[in-house]
Amino acid sequence: MTLQCEDVLDRLVEGVTGSVPPGDRAAVVAHLATCPRCRGEAAAVENTAARLREAGRFVTPPGFWPDFMRQLDARLEAEPQRVLIRFRRWLASPRHALGTAAVTVLASLAIFMAVRFAPPRPMPPDPVDTQVRGLVTETMTITLPSLGDILETWRAGLSQEVDQVPGRTGP
């Protein structure tokens, strides 16, 4: 069985660590014997693995990581950063994230309450209604209590209902 270069490159790390099954290992070795590109990649992976093994034997002195982190924080503080990056790091802190979440919930609740319980806005006056109401006198309103209903019906354009009002004769 001959493997393609992509398949071999995918299995190189497994080959270096020795976790490739024996049947696949023979196919990888056979491909490496014929493909110089994959042999070069295999050598680079083996070199990297050897360096990592050597580095794994290195023991850090006591206090190395706290000092390292302090120095890293100092360098990050000294570098100029964009506002968005600073804000994202600020939010990443659990204390700030919880405070931000609480403020967001309270602001959302305040907006909901303001919208839900706000008094309704008055409708602007209808210019036709204003003209018709200007023609109606107080005497007309007292003597014809249903005049307001008739005017509303007339304004709505329902002239046939106006014709059916009791006491009205003719068009």
Side-chain angles (χ1 to χ4, degrees):
M1 147 165 66
T2 305
L3 295 176
Q4 298 295 330
C5 290
E6 293 175 18
D7 294 331
V8 171
L9 293 176
D10 288 342
R11 295 176 182 232
L12 281 180
V13 174
E14 294 173 349
V16 169
T17 60
S19 60
V20 175
D24 292 342
R25 186 177 306 130
V28 169
V29 169
H31 181 82
L32 290 176
T34 61
C35 182
R37 176 177 167 248
C38 291
R39 260 196 318 271
E41 289 292 325
V45 169
E46 179 60 42
N47 186 18
T48 302
R51 288 183 181 207
L52 288 173
R53 284 187 206 110
E54 287 177 14
R57 295 186 195 123
F58 177 75
V59 178
T60 59
F64 174 80
W65 290 112
D67 288 341
F68 174 80
M69 293 307 293
R70 223 178 354 266
Q71 290 174 4
L72 180 62
D73 287 339
R75 281 186 67 186
L76 288 175
E77 289 294 324
E79 287 182 17
Q81 297 173 358
R82 290 183 286 173
V83 173
L84 188 60
I85 293 173
R86 285 189 204 163
F87 184 66
R88 192 171 46 207
R89 284 186 183 159
W90 182 79
L91 284 178
S93 168
R95 179 183 58 165
H96 296 127
L98 291 176
T100 303
V103 167
T104 303
V105 167
L106 289 175
S108 299
L109 185 61
I111 291 171
F112 170 75
M113 298 295 279
V115 169
R116 175 73 171 100
F117 297 110
R121 287 187 278 162
M123 297 296 293
D126 185 14
V128 174
D129 190 39
T130 306
Q131 286 176 347
V132 171
R133 296 252 184 232
L135 298 174
V136 176
T137 64
E138 186 177 338
T139 307
M140 294 170 89
T141 307
I142 293 170
T143 57
L144 300 170
S146 64
L147 183 60
D149 295 334
I150 294 171
L151 289 174
E152 289 297 321
T153 305
W154 174 78
R155 190 175 134 302
L158 304 174
S159 61
Q160 57 230 354
E161 289 185 21
V162 172
D163 292 338
Q164 297 173 3
V165 173
R168 177 156 169 92
T169 57

